Amino acid sequence: MATDPADADTIERSLEIAGERGGDLTAVVYARLFERQPQMRELFWRDTTDAIKGEMLMRVFDAILDFIRERRFAHHLIQTEVVTHAGYDVPPEVFATFFGLVAEVVEELNGSDWSPAMAQAWRRTLADLDRYVANPDQAAV
Amino acid sequence: MNIAVKVQAAETAAEIAATPLEKLNPAKVDRFYNDTIWPVFERLRREDPVHFTPESEYGPYWSVTRWNDIMAVDTNHEAFSSADGIGLANLAAVAEQEKVMGERRRGGAGFITMDEPEHGPARKAVSPTLAPGNLQTMAPQVRERAGEILDSLPIGREFDWVDLVSKELTAMTLATLFDFPFEQRRKLPWWSDMIMNMPGHGPVESWQQKGEAMFECFNAFHELWNQRVNAEPANDLISMLAHNPATRDMPMETYQGNVVLLIVGGNDTTRNTISGSVYALNKNPDQYAKLRANPDLILPMVSETIRYQTPLAHMSRVATRDVELGGKTIKKGERVVMWYISGNRDEEMVERPNEFIIDRERPRQHMSFGFGIHRCVGNRVAEMQLTIIWEEILKRFPEIKVVGKPTLNWSAFVHGYESLPVVIPYRT
């Protein structure tokens, strides 16, 4: 099931606005993650410059952009990341919260520009993403 | 700017450009040995990014050379299986090895050559040892040992960096991870070299010698298994395999496959990146100066070296069904090679990819660890060792000077160094 092109345009626009207003979103996204999942903080003990967190977040954005367009690899990447993160003691239920958390930050940065269309596009896309997070078995999905 | 690569590329570019595409065999080993691979991959990315080689010393195979196509294969384990081996194997060498070893060893049997659902639990049995939490415990020991290695190096006299530093550091770390007898640690890189080389290359003189070395390696690890399985569970890799319900009853061939994976994976990749960092910084003195002036650049320099060196040039898979990729149809049963070394130089994904730039905007954007369920399980250990060794180097030596041409591996798989002559100058 591909993302509706209108939803894809809307999500891209919301990301552009967030990028323009928030700059590098690494600090705000991970601060929120650690606030809600404090046990995740110690996994990043080496990351004193935020380089690891920054690249992970960039990969999340790359995956979202591929997912809403061509879907060349993002859906499969998400499924495999659930598996590899479990190896780092990141349970699937924690992994599952990350896309929603990114969407929250994007919404806040959009402020008064956040539209009902954006809310709907993100809601549909998050539900679609969740399908892959919840079902890492590629043979089944 | 990497002058050596540019000159060699210019020398071979005409030859490469004149070769009919169907005759182009990107895995030709002498190009890796001579560091003349780059025009091949540049041409393939430009003209035929999903490329079929119908005849070669490896049999027929597909080459995938662009970042996004590699991602598509690497993350799709349902369509691309690892069960028949993850590297291109020279068919004549496999036949010779089978004669000596008396059995088929193509593919091995460790968790890297497993598909789901067997793969996940087997990988999970070892991943806690290599996860960030455990590395935090290991880091002080790695730092102490790295310091000991560096403090023992000769000053003002030529020596082989690969032998005295790269192999030694990885041997020490691997011995710690396995809780392997520390005084015998250098057997670990030696076994790795024996496993990965053919006669006439590395330390391998004959198939017989290679077979004996593998036999010795497996015997040593059987002994370790027997010790650990009868002892209380501990935090080393062998104990974890011996006590985890997912792996404790695995067939001995699977255990041997895991041993090979952990020795080679823990050895060749890290050690060749350590050597590669010294070589690349010497070829790019402006970058070396930047690093000396700002040690905060160690972390991005490590990532840039991992991209630039790409210590494992490829991984391969076999299609489980017909798959469309880049406008081509890969048939069920055909072998597909993902050239990470090419993806890491994909101009559409990495700006100025042929240059070694330690302060890139996205230094960690590389595919050297792979993606998907087989993404390198030891990637954090590798990064930790590389970071620590460079922190300790910069505390001690303003310069490590490469004083001769390195000898590269004879391999289209392990992209690294047999030797790298260096001198640490006296301080003035």
Side-chain angles (χ1 to χ4, degrees), chain B residues 15-317:
Chain B
E15 221 178 280
I16 299 302
T19 305
L21 269 176
E22 67 275 13
K23 296 276 183 201
L24 208 50
N25 172 12
K28 205 163 164 274
V29 181
D30 59 350
R31 290 202 201 100
F32 285 83
Y33 183 72
N34 294 316
D35 196 25
T36 56
I37 54 175
W38 309 105
V40 178
F41 290 116
E42 278 171 18
R43 182 176 176 203
L44 289 179
R45 284 195 302 273
R46 191 174 59 241
E47 294 178 25
D48 197 25
V50 180
H51 169 76
F52 188 62
T53 302
E55 282 178 37
S56 79
E57 57 274 38
Y58 313 96
Y61 67 95
W62 289 92
S63 285
V64 184
T65 55
R66 279 189 188 161
W67 179 288
N68 283 328
D69 291 332
I70 294 169
M71 286 288 283
V73 175
D74 220 0
T75 56
N76 191 351
H77 54 267
E78 182 267 325
F80 296 101
S81 167
S82 299
D84 195 37
I86 46 86
L88 273 176
N90 181 303
L91 299 179
V94 171
E96 283 296 322
Q97 185 160 317
E98 278 171 17
K99 270 192 227 163
V100 174
M101 309 282 288
E103 59 185 296
R104 182 172 159 81
R105 291 209 166 269
R106 177 84 179 89
F111 61 83
I112 201 169
T113 56
M114 289 177 184
D115 293 328
E116 294 302 306
E118 292 80 16
H119 163 268
R123 177 182 164 114
K124 215 173 169 194
V126 299
S127 56
T129 305
L130 305 166
N134 198 45
L135 298 191
Q136 196 166 12
T137 315
M138 270 182 71
Q141 195 176 24
V142 172
R143 186 175 299 283
E144 189 187 328
R145 289 174 173 173
E148 286 167 10
I149 292 169
L150 296 174
D151 288 338
S152 71
L153 295 175
I155 304 295
R157 183 164 62 78
E158 182 179 322
F159 65 93
D160 180 10
W161 181 264
V162 173
D163 184 36
L164 293 194
V165 181
S166 305
K167 284 187 185 180
E168 186 62 13
L169 183 70
T170 47
M172 283 180 166
T173 306
L174 264 185
T176 306
L177 287 167
F178 285 131
D179 195 13
F180 187 85
F182 197 67
E183 65 286 358
Q184 295 179 44
R185 64 188 178 278
R186 285 301 291 257
K187 282 188 172 178
L188 297 166
W190 188 74
W191 285 330
S192 177
D193 287 343
M194 294 301 290
I195 290 164
M196 293 310 291
N197 281 289
M198 293 200 294
H201 302 288
V204 183
E205 291 163 5
S206 67
W207 289 108
Q208 187 65 34
Q209 181 213 19
K210 182 179 166 90
E212 284 166 8
M214 289 177 73
F215 188 70
E216 183 198 28
C217 170
F218 294 148
N219 270 351
F221 275 89
H222 286 166
E223 269 183 47
L224 285 183
W225 176 277
N226 290 335
Q227 287 169 14
R228 307 290 153 80
V229 80
N230 294 314
E232 287 297 307
N235 210 22
D236 65 89
L237 288 168
I238 305 302
S239 181
M240 285 186 142
L241 289 169
H243 289 279
N244 191 298
T247 48
R248 68 185 172 207
D249 298 319
M250 65 184 153
M252 207 32 76
E253 194 198 14
T254 307
Y255 175 56
Q256 290 173 353
N258 281 328
V259 165
V260 169
L261 163 64
L262 294 167
I263 290 178
V264 174
N267 214 315
D268 280 340
T269 52
T270 309
R271 101 182 183 210
N272 287 317
T273 310
I274 294 172
S275 304
S277 60
V278 170
Y279 189 52
L281 287 166
N282 268 263
K283 300 298 285 184
N284 299 274
D286 58 327
Q287 302 299 309
Y288 205 168
K290 260 194 245 176
L291 182 70
R292 273 192 292 264
N294 180 9
D296 284 348
L297 289 173
I298 288 174
L299 265 173
M301 181 278 289
V302 162
S303 294
E304 172 68 347
T305 308
I306 293 169
R307 179 194 72 85
Y308 192 73
Q309 177 66 33
T310 317
L312 286 183
H314 77 262
M315 285 279 169
S316 84
R317 304 282 185 261

Side-chain angles (χ1 to χ4, degrees), chain A residues 51-110:
Chain A
I52 295 175
K53 293 188 277 284
E55 181 57 26
M56 283 186 180
L57 187 60
M58 286 303 290
R59 284 202 200 128
V60 167
F61 286 126
D62 288 345
I64 290 171
L65 292 172
D66 183 65
F67 189 82
I68 60 176
R69 296 290 186 190
E70 298 101 316
R71 218 171 270 195
R72 291 166 296 188
F73 57 82
H75 51 316
H76 288 140
L77 177 68
I78 290 160
Q79 290 175 308
T80 61
E81 288 293 319
V82 175
V83 176
T84 50
H85 275 74
Y88 291 127
D89 295 331
V90 180
E93 56 274 19
V94 173
F95 184 89
T97 61
F98 200 76
F99 287 110
L101 196 146
V102 169
E104 260 180 51
V105 171
V106 170
E107 179 181 346
E108 284 168 21
L109 286 166
N110 272 258

